[in-house]
Amino acid sequence: MRVLGTCNSLSPISFVNSSNFRRCFLPSETLIPSLSSTLPLRRVSRLSSSSSAPMAAAYVAPAEPKKPVKPWLVVGLGNPGKKYDGTRHNVGFQLVDAIGEAEGISINSVSFKALFGKGFIGDVPIMLVKPQTFMNSSGESVGAIVSYYKIPHEQVLVIYDDLDFPFAKLKMLPKGGHGGHNGMRSIIDHFKGNRNFPRLRIGIGRPPGKMDPVNFVLRPFTKQEREELNFTFQDGIEAVRILLLEGFNKSATFVNTAKPLKQLG
């Protein structure tokens, strides 16, 4: 083999790094004589023209683990048993049932003294709950669920009836007191006085004449009232969807903005 110029005097290392490398050999693969005549010839590939040093691997930062998303707890208040089905005091139960039906969430598990259903709205986990403790002890169930799942209070929406609000009207609030509602009073007590959780009030109107409010809230709705409530429930379902997917402010704006009256056929 013919060796050009001063290539005979280069060591293997200096040869590879030498600026004479290209002048010495033109082919992409070339036989290089070793310094010892007793060693066989070695075959090497021509190095990159930009650098003879190996390329450093690009650093890729490890992906940070995603924090688990806390579920929303949506609680409807009411009294258990057929005796109270369809009554005014159970309108919270009824709206939660409507949400479950619309979102394909079965509320048929029994846990924490409540009927319980788990599912998703979009990619947000949600728990639908109907306490079975009777209205005045609702906090026993709700407090235990919040404590067990470590749900932030701002992700607990309580839906309940309101005597002081016009019939079939909705009102979304970020926090507040119990307003004389015993179910809400119980929840606040079990939250150790914390009132900073959202609530969706459903107006059931005032009792006629001098009727005792206790008797009034246990009365069923008339057929016409039921039809009107069905429209209200559609707004309530949409309000919960907006709450989970777009936040409280957008949901409150949707709920609390005056809407045209719906005509019943």
Side-chain angles (χ1 to χ4, degrees):
M1 182 183 69
R2 186 166 63 91
V3 182
L4 301 179
T6 60
C7 291
N8 278 332
S9 63
L10 296 174
S11 71
I13 295 177
S14 64
F15 179 84
V16 169
N17 292 320
S18 171
S19 61
N20 293 326
F21 180 76
R22 291 187 179 180
R23 296 201 305 271
C24 292
F25 299 105
L26 296 178
S28 61
E29 282 192 337
T30 309
L31 294 176
I32 302 175
S34 68
L35 295 182
S36 172
S37 60
T38 61
L39 295 178
L41 295 178
R42 295 179 294 135
R43 186 176 296 274
V44 297
S45 298
R46 190 168 72 178
L47 301 178
S48 165
S49 60
S50 60
S51 172
S52 60
M55 293 290 292
Y59 174 75
V60 178
E64 291 195 10
K66 291 184 178 180
K67 294 182 180 179
V69 178
K70 295 288 185 183
W72 269 87
L73 179 63
V74 176
V75 181
L77 299 187
N79 287 307
K82 291 184 179 180
K83 176 182 177 180
Y84 301 101
D85 281 351
T87 61
R88 297 171 188 274
H89 217 23
N90 273 33
V91 74
F93 274 11
Q94 295 161 43
L95 179 49
V96 164
D97 283 336
I99 295 168
E101 183 176 352
E103 301 298 336
I105 302 172
S106 298
I107 310 172
N108 53 16
S109 298
V110 179
S111 187
F112 299 99
K113 299 180 181 181
L115 288 174
F116 209 99
K118 294 181 180 180
F120 289 84
I121 291 182
D123 59 354
V124 180
I126 182 174
M127 294 188 290
L128 300 176
V129 169
K130 299 192 297 180
Q132 301 294 292
T133 56
F134 286 92
M135 180 69 80
N136 294 357
S137 300
S138 299
E140 291 181 19
S141 171
V142 179
I145 295 169
V146 168
S147 177
Y148 181 82
Y149 288 99
K150 296 180 173 56
I151 301 173
H153 287 129
E154 60 269 20
Q155 286 185 211
V156 179
L157 175 69
V158 182
I159 303 173
Y160 63 100
D161 58 297
D162 193 332
L163 275 169
D164 296 321
F165 208 57
F167 177 76
K169 301 298 182 184
L170 298 175
K171 185 74 172 179
M172 179 81 81
L173 296 170
K175 58 184 178 179
H178 53 72
H181 192 285
N182 287 331
M184 289 295 287
R185 189 196 308 271
S186 177
I187 290 173
I188 291 171
D189 287 346
H190 281 80
F191 283 178
K192 299 180 179 179
N194 191 320
R195 302 179 178 191
N196 298 325
F197 57 93
R199 65 281 314 275
L200 180 60
R201 296 158 51 192
I202 306 174
I204 60 172
R206 296 294 303 174
K210 296 182 179 180
M211 180 182 287
D212 184 348
V214 173
N215 293 329
F216 177 71
V217 298
L218 298 180
R219 287 179 61 181
F221 295 106
T222 66
K223 181 180 178 181
Q224 182 174 348
E225 286 174 333
R226 170 59 57 196
E227 290 175 350
E228 190 171 348
L229 272 177
N230 287 338
F231 287 111
T232 299
F233 287 170
Q234 294 306 308
D235 286 340
I237 293 167
E238 185 63 20
V240 171
R241 288 173 178 158
I242 296 171
L243 175 66
L244 269 64
L245 301 177
E246 301 184 60
F248 177 85
N249 289 339
K250 286 191 176 182
S251 181
T253 298
F254 170 79
V255 171
N256 300 336
T257 302
K259 297 177 177 59
L261 294 175
K262 302 177 178 70
Q263 298 296 322
L264 299 178

